[in-house]
């Protein structure tokens, strides 16, 4: 482990194992990351007047993290989102995944990356690399999957770099499941935020959130967020894809390929804007529809439905079961990497 001038402190323990918090700082910005779930626990940036605002939901104790099932701040994987029937094929071999949202598998079941205590590989004042081995067969996923995630704070940008390699052919599609509230994590509903997703197409899904396999145009639907739109306007629309999920909870296919800007969100009260950049083909835009109420959060905050929104960069949900979706297959020995950035500035 390489630790230079890093700020590490005990956060608690789980089944006798310590959980550590790593604090990154760059100028007026800071981030706190936990070894439990490699979760982003806080992300503080100044608003246009210079006042620090913590933009992500989080908790004060390990127990609070363990006792929720909303994946708050965590790295989710090996395969984010849903696999229909908790079943798919890898090289023609049927996998039986964990049907934790029966009959489907959500976020890799009950033993995914979010439940693991990750190892600190290296840490400095601006970056931390955490690693984890997801053992062969756990949750039905083949191969010892060695994964690492590096969080880097670079000015008003939080970068997340992923790296994974498996010793058997497998499937790999991790994400980060932070809930952002650009008015501040404790400020209530995000319905006043404006949202823009640079995507002409999205993947509709059934009542259980399993994609139909279509990739449909957003044009003339409330899924068209190509111009910034107040969330409240979209959320109140009579549209089956919104009603089925009690709000936004679908995968968009952002335009273009390679590392590009895919979304922008503005806090209506803070004047803070976040832009999202990634090399992934998809993004799950989720408006925290299923957050329970009341959900006690850090520093006395109380969360509930729509207390935060997620922009989970990913390949499309249920990809192995839809030939038309980009593949999430990972060959044995192949090194898979990916980058996502959340950048902050003042709303225009
Ligand atoms: C899913 C939601 C789910 C949530 C769990 C999101 O990625 O799309 O349907 O409820 O994760 O917190």
């Amino acid at each position: 482990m390489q630790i230079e001038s890093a700020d590490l402190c005990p956060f608690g323990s789980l089944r006798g194992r310590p959980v550590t918090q790593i604090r990154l700082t760059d100028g007026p910005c800071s981030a706190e990351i936990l070894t439990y779930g490699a979760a982003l626990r806080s992300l503080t940036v100044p608003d246009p007047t210079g006042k620090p605002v913590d933009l992500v939901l989080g908790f004060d104790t390990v127990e609070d993290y363990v006792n929720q099932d909303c994946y708050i701040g965590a790295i989710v994987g090996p395969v984010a989102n849903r696999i229909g029937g908790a079943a798919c094929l890898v090289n023609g071999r049927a996998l039986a995944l964990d049907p934790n949202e029966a009959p489907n598998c959500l976020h890799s079941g009950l033993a995914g990356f979010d439940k693991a205590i990750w190892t600190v590989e290296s840490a400095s004042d601006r970056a931390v690399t955490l690693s984890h081995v997801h053992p062969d067969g756990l949750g039905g996923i083949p191969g010892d999957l060695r994964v690492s995630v590096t969080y880097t704070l670079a000015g008003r940008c939080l970068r997340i770099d992923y790296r994974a390699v498996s010793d058997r052919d497998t499937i790999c599609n991790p994400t980060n499941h932070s809930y952002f509230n650009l008015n501040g994590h404790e400020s209530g509903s995000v319905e006043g935020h404006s949202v823009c997703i640079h995507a002409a197409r999205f993947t509709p899904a059934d009542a259980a959130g399993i994609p139909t396999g279509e990739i449909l145009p957003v044009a003339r639907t409330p899924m068209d967020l190509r111009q910034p739109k107040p969330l409240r306007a979209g959320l109140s629309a009579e549209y089956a894809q919104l009603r089925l999920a009690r709000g936004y909870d679908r995968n968009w296919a952002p335009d273009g390929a390679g590392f590009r800007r895919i979304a922008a969100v503005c806090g209506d009260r803070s004047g803070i804007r976040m832009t999202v950049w990634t090399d992934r083909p998809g993004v799950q835009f989720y408006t925290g529809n299923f957050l329970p109420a009341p959900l006690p959060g850090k520093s006395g905050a109380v969360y509930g439905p729509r207390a935060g929104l997620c922009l989970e960069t990913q390949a499309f949900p249920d990809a192995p079961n839809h030939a038309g979706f980009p593949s999430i297959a990972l060959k044995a020995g192949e090194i898979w990497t990916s980058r996502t950035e959340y950048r902050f500035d003042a709303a225009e």
Side-chain angles (χ1 to χ4, degrees):
M1 177 160 56
Q2 213 190 331
I3 310 241
E4 331 145 9
S5 66
D7 185 347
L8 272 69
C9 70
F11 184 73
S13 66
L14 182 62
R15 290 185 292 274
R17 290 185 58 200
V19 172
T20 303
Q21 173 169 283
I22 305 95
R23 184 179 165 85
L24 311 180
T25 356
D26 191 2
C29 301
S30 65
E32 290 168 322
I33 290 112
L34 300 177
T35 54
Y36 182 68
L40 178 65
R41 191 177 92 84
S42 74
L43 178 60
T44 302
V45 307
D47 73 7
T49 69
K51 183 180 134 227
V53 187
D54 181 355
L55 305 178
V56 294
L57 274 51
F59 299 108
D60 283 332
T61 67
V62 174
E63 292 67 36
D64 288 346
Y65 276 93
V66 171
N67 292 335
Q68 51 90 36
D69 60 359
C70 308
Y71 304 87
I72 293 196
I75 297 292
V76 164
V79 177
N81 213 275
R82 295 182 173 82
I83 299 284
C88 64
L89 299 177
V90 167
N91 292 344
R93 191 169 78 92
L95 304 187
L97 306 178
D98 177 2
N100 62 322
E101 193 182 77
N104 306 313
C105 177
L106 173 64
H107 297 322
S108 298
L110 297 177
F113 292 170
D114 60 294
K115 308 284 188 308
I117 299 179
W118 293 53
T119 303
V120 180
E121 288 294 333
S122 64
S124 66
D125 54 353
R126 289 191 196 173
V128 59
T129 298
L130 300 158
S131 70
H132 169 58
V133 181
H134 186 88
D136 184 24
L138 184 63
I141 295 179
D144 281 342
L145 183 68
R146 289 170 193 281
V147 58
S148 71
V149 168
T150 302
Y151 286 96
T152 306
L153 195 57
R156 294 178 190 207
C157 167
L158 181 75
R159 179 179 306 137
I160 310 178
D161 284 303
Y162 301 82
R163 185 183 192 277
V165 62
S166 169
D167 60 358
R168 291 178 63 192
D169 290 0
T170 192
I171 43 178
C172 175
N173 180 24
T175 192
N176 174 277
H177 207 299
S178 288
Y179 290 74
F180 294 94
N181 187 320
L182 298 181
N183 292 332
H185 78 98
E186 74 294 13
S187 68
S189 168
V190 292
E191 288 182 0
H193 285 42
S194 80
V195 176
C196 176
I197 300 180
H198 311 302
R201 299 182 307 156
F202 80 109
T203 55
D206 67 13
I210 305 300
T212 60
E214 299 156 288
I215 308 176
L216 293 184
V218 295
R220 291 179 292 282
T221 78
M223 311 308 255
D224 189 348
L225 300 171
R226 288 173 292 178
Q227 296 298 325
K229 195 157 135 180
L231 252 188
R232 196 171 282 118
L235 286 167
S236 58
E238 264 316 312
Y239 184 65
Q241 287 297 311
L242 290 170
R243 296 281 74 82
L244 286 173
R246 292 195 223 157
Y248 286 104
D249 187 9
R250 289 294 178 263
N251 171 70
W252 273 251
D255 305 336
F259 190 73
R260 66 219 186 278
R261 184 176 131 173
I262 60 150
V265 184
C266 291
D268 51 317
R269 281 183 271 146
S270 66
I272 296 175
R273 178 176 78 154
M274 173 172 82
T275 58
V276 184
W277 301 66
T278 191
D279 53 15
R280 309 295 294 279
V283 63
Q284 188 81 15
F285 173 45
Y286 171 54
T287 43
N289 315 331
F290 303 107
L291 285 168
L295 176 62
K298 60 190 175 188
S299 315
V302 180
Y303 308 138
R306 306 213 201 297
L309 59 84
C310 305
L311 284 156
E312 305 155 53
T313 58
Q314 60 183 3
F316 301 179
D318 203 27
N321 292 319
H322 303 281
F325 287 4
S327 171
I328 60 165
L330 179 64
K331 290 271 168 224
E334 194 180 298
I335 296 172
W336 178 88
T337 61
S338 174
R339 171 172 287 182
T340 291
E341 289 183 359
Y342 297 99
R343 299 184 188 173
F344 301 91
D345 60 9
E348 283 160 358

